[in-house]
Amino acid sequence: MAAILFIAALVLAWPTAGLSIVAYIAFLVFQGYMKAKTRMHHADKLRSSRDVTSGGGRLPSWMGNRDKISEFIYGVEKLAEREGVPIIMSSQLMLHEELQKNLMRYAGAMEARGASFSEQQMAVAEKLVEIHNRGH
């Protein structure tokens, strides 16, 4: 794929005074950035899981805000639903007190590592999918 884009950039470089080469380089930089971000997110999830398993972790900063909690849970359930977890199942899982506490501590551990609110939602949704898939 990258080779094809490079050849296209070379062909288009002449009439565009080199702008296609700049666009190609920008594409490579963006692609590298996204790969690095994905690897860091995965590493943060692993470290956060270890924190919670070992009894560590903390609640996220937004935990005192009911609207944020509702938004978080809604987002988690919708993300899990996209991965095949029925909404009723994710709702039941999120109502389980011990599991909910661990998932919130997991979100807090992700936050402590710099994860945004939406990245916390994605990580918790992925955990719900794992839990659901283990049960089946």
Side-chain angles (χ1 to χ4, degrees):
M1 170 86 173
I4 294 169
L5 286 175
F6 181 70
I7 291 169
L10 285 177
V11 169
L12 296 173
W14 187 261
T16 61
L19 286 178
S20 58
I21 297 293
V22 172
Y24 177 74
I25 292 170
F27 169 76
L28 289 178
V29 168
F30 178 73
Q31 187 179 34
Y33 169 77
M34 292 307 293
K35 285 181 181 178
K37 189 157 177 66
T38 300
R39 281 191 304 272
M40 287 303 300
H41 181 70
H42 182 69
D44 287 345
K45 288 189 316 182
L46 291 174
R47 284 189 222 107
S48 296
S49 283
R50 272 189 249 129
D51 286 351
V52 173
T53 302
S54 68
R58 62 171 180 81
L59 293 175
S61 62
W62 46 263
M63 200 61 189
N65 183 334
R66 285 182 186 263
D67 292 336
K68 240 5 189 179
I69 294 169
S70 295
E71 179 183 346
F72 182 82
I73 292 172
Y74 177 79
V76 166
E77 290 175 346
K78 285 298 181 183
L79 288 168
E81 184 179 34
R82 286 187 199 159
E83 297 299 319
V85 180
I87 200 84
I88 190 81
M89 179 63 76
S90 59
S91 293
Q92 287 176 343
L93 289 171
M94 290 301 287
L95 288 174
H96 187 271
E97 189 176 335
E98 187 65 27
L99 178 60
Q100 184 183 51
K101 185 175 101 176
N102 285 335
L103 290 174
M104 291 305 176
R105 287 180 36 232
Y106 178 62
M110 289 293 293
E111 181 183 57
R113 288 183 168 74
S116 68
F117 184 76
S118 60
E119 289 171 329
Q120 294 168 47
Q121 284 178 309
M122 287 186 298
V124 170
E126 289 167 11
K127 279 285 185 201
L128 273 182
V129 171
E130 286 175 27
I131 291 166
H132 178 262
N133 290 340
R134 274 189 299 208
H136 287 292

